[in-house]
Amino acid sequence: MRTLQVDLGERSYPIYIGGGLLGRAGEFFEQHGLAKKSPVLIVTDDHVAPLYLDTVTKSLSEQGYRVVSKVVKAGEKSKSLEVFEDVMTAAIEGGLDRHSAVVALGGGVVGDLAGFVAASYMRGVSFVQMPTTILAHDSSVGGKVAVNHRLAKNMIGAFHQPKMVLYDVDSLQTLPIREVRAGLSEMVKHGLIWNAAFADWCRQHTADLLALDPEALGYGLTQGCSIKAQVVSVDEREQGLRAILNLGHTLGHALEAIGGYGEFLHGEAISIGMAAAAKLAVNRGRDLSIYEETVSVLKGFGLPTAMPQQHDEHAIIAAMMHDKKFKEQQLVFVLPVEIGKVEIVADVTLDEVRRVIAELKEEGQHV
Amino acid sequence: MRTLQVDLGERSYPIYIGGGLLGRAGEFFEQHGLAKKSPVLIVTDDHVAPLYLDTVTKSLSEQGYRVVSKVVKAGEKSKSLEVFEDVMTAAIEGGLDRHSAVVALGGGVVGDLAGFVAASYMRGVSFVQMPTTILAHDSSVGGKVAVNHRLAKNMIGAFHQPKMVLYDVDSLQTLPIREVRAGLSEMVKHGLIWNAAFADWCRQHTADLLALDPEALGYGLTQGCSIKAQVVSVDEREQGLRAILNLGHTLGHALEAIGGYGEFLHGEAISIGMAAAAKLAVNRGRDLSIYEETVSVLKGFGLPTAMPQQHDEHAIIAAMMHDKKFKEQQLVFVLPVEIGKVEIVADVTLDEVRRVIAELKEEGQHV
Ligand SMILES: NC(=O)c1ccc[n+]([C@@H]2O[C@H](COP(=O)([O-])OP(=O)(O)OC[C@H]3O[C@@H](n4cnc5c(N)ncnc54)[C@H](O)[C@@H]3O)[C@@H](O)[C@H]2O)c1
Ligand SMILES: NC(=O)c1ccc[n+]([C@@H]2O[C@H](COP(=O)([O-])OP(=O)(O)OC[C@H]3O[C@@H](n4cnc5c(N)ncnc54)[C@H](O)[C@@H]3O)[C@@H](O)[C@H]2O)c1
Ligand SMILES: [Zn+2]
Ligand SMILES: [Zn+2]
């Protein structure tokens, strides 16, 4: 087991990464002093519940915890206010009180949803992340929680740090391959924004990672979590540095929204977004190799890097204008400077974006 | 104009109390450095909008602010996730960004609703309170924001302090008398929990307060806000002392919920709740005079102190068990020790509550 620490003063917490951890959940709960008298609510989805809910429930129960659970439908559409309300109902009916904990058992969808429930149930209760996707190495760290608004992604949320992250890498073995690829997209992102050597390592270990080789996976996830934790420790509430984590997300979020949160997986959308950011940087004078290398590593993982033909630029741009990153007719973008290093620019014009969209649509036609 | 300060470190803020302040909103915004480039969203209700929305909009616009507004239906029912989503839609469509401010122009309902929007829009933007009810001298101070769940009141919310409270007491002149009475209920509460002399002053100035005499009102509201601010400064997130502000609320919230948030005004419900708390204290050995004086001052303001006949004790108790103050078959109550002083007890049994409900129903039959 590897342990990382997210340093946030009194809100600091550990990330445990290893095998067999879900079956030891009760032990970790006790060790972290989570209240036994108050019910614990596990939030999970209908893909994860049949696989891992019993294991966690059993472990917690054996340690003397009272457990209630709420299973939501799998998929991004569950990150809605409607489902949020359903989970709240389960929390109230389950008798959760101020000393209760809410557990997210699942991927980033369940994490973001359950996290916002934990942030706002009775104005805030304890929160524990038990990520079960590769993508969630990103989403489970850093305390950003949210649900989507029909018009824009992650629009309604909070900063609410977990008490701990219990990352059982064994659970990743049951992931569908499309989810594996999508999750690796955020891992690559962590290399691209922070550490060229790690980006290169990802490229060299593409096959091992796709094959879910435990050694490679353990190393890659630890690196990814560690980069995320470092960035968040410097800037918890995104006043500055933290924004670099949004590489690929300006366009990615727009694609998710216009796809009705069902067409693209988050990791797929930001893969296209990262390709677009690299292209934009090149159009602004950076070396062409940045775009080529970005696209090459992403394609290696079977991720999309061309713009989908079926959405016109107007729809994409309209969605971007609703994003948190739009201000005064200009867009904030994270752009690569070189592999492993990015900058935040706040003056990207709609024309530049239109050009990149057109160029990445072109790419699509050559495939 | 009187100015009070709520001391909360970097989250400290002033409360301005005086006449003509809504017409000077722009000036105060500028003075507090609120961003001019980002749209401001005013949230108000359909009783308040025709009276004061233009004044505030005009003042902000003249000072160079871009204003959008959202008018919700008046009444407690607007403190719902549904209306919350509507306000979020207005915020997105209005183009609010991270530097925008959300303004609550109205009573506690608009304050709590808009406050939760400000807390969670893009994970938190600036918030300004412009209270227009007497009750809101309480709700606008302290940063508790929330919406209701069908099963329990204020269940979904956050702590989100405003940047300032702009309390234009002129606006109170248009209040319906029932709202005047309900608002004075929280003013009396501030005397009962903290300051016997102020409780006595309220009793002596009952007629002036009901007549909305500016002198009496200005003094009473300043005292009320000041007590609230003192308590909140000591304990922002209700780890201890702040709970005394819940005098009358354990039962009061239950009455609001079973009345479908339409039968009792909040101030009326907690008036009954304060009478019940005093009765409970007497049943536990406190001097009978505590109950008599509590009821006498509340009745002086025309507030209800007997239990409504139409709700049976089972429904009331079931609703209390969903409250934030229920734990392990026992209820947390704030009980008077003497006028001006309360204690928090966590071991009130359901039997004791049943007895008090029965006794206060009896009272109702003698009226
Ligand atoms: N909060 C943050 O900082 C942050 C960061 C990145 C992404 N996100 C969010 O995370 C979400 C995406 O997360 P995700 O990709 O994990 O999506 P997800 O939660 O939808 O999980 C992907 C799919 O895999 C299934 N699944 C999960 N674990 C499984 C397992 N062990 N075995 C088999 N199937 C399993 C799920 O049921 C789902 O169908 C997006 O909403 C995104 O916005 C948040
Ligand atoms: N956040 C807190 O700390 C806190 C504290 C106490 C109460 N509250 C909440 O406050 C709410 C009650 O507040 P309220 O009593 O102000 O209710 P309210 O906001 O519903 O206002 C009462 C009524 O008066 C009308 N009104 C408001 N200002 C007016 C004016 N100047 N002229 C004419 N009509 C006017 C409103 O339209 C409404 O019909 C409850 O939801 C309660 O839970 C919150
Ligand atoms: Zn992401
Ligand atoms: Zn109240």
Side-chain angles (χ1 to χ4, degrees), chain A residues 135 138-139 153-154 185-186 189-190 228 245-249 253 256 266-267 270:
Chain A
L135 192 132
D138 182 351
S139 59
K153 209 172 127 107
N154 293 342
S185 179
E186 297 269 22
K189 180 194 80 180
H190 287 125
K228 174 94 186 235
L245 297 169
N246 296 328
L247 175 66
H249 284 61
H253 282 173
E256 284 184 86
H266 177 69
I270 66 153

Side-chain angles (χ1 to χ4, degrees), chain A residues 37-38 66 81-82 84-85 88-90 92-93 96-99 112 116 119-124 143-146 148-152 154-159 237-238 246 322-328, chain B residues 37-38 66 81-82 84-85 88-90 92-93 96-99 112 116 119-124 143-146 148-152 154-159 237-238 246 322-328:
Chain A
K37 293 189 179 163
S38 306
R66 205 142 44 88
L81 274 180
E82 220 181 312
F84 172 78
E85 184 159 21
M88 282 288 175
T89 305
I92 297 172
E93 290 179 344
L96 267 74
D97 64 39
R98 289 189 167 146
H99 305 282
D112 284 8
F116 189 43
S120 40
Y121 184 73
M122 295 185 172
R123 301 195 182 85
K144 275 196 181 180
V145 296
N148 301 325
H149 186 281
R150 165 176 57 79
L151 294 173
N154 293 342
M155 215 56 175
I156 305 172
F159 288 92
R237 294 182 74 102
E238 197 165 317
N246 296 328
H322 284 317
D323 198 76
K324 295 192 276 298
K325 299 162 205 83
F326 181 67
K327 247 185 88 177
E328 297 164 54
Chain B
K37 294 188 180 163
S38 306
R66 206 144 43 91
L81 274 180
E82 219 182 312
F84 171 78
E85 183 159 23
M88 282 288 174
T89 306
I92 298 172
E93 290 180 342
L96 267 74
D97 65 36
R98 289 189 168 147
H99 305 282
D112 284 8
F116 189 44
S120 39
Y121 184 72
M122 295 186 172
R123 302 195 182 88
K144 274 195 182 179
V145 297
N148 302 323
H149 186 281
R150 164 178 57 80
L151 294 172
N154 292 343
M155 215 56 175
I156 305 171
F159 288 91
R237 294 183 74 101
E238 198 164 320
N246 296 328
H322 284 316
D323 198 77
K324 294 193 279 297
K325 298 160 206 84
F326 181 66
K327 246 185 87 174
E328 298 164 55

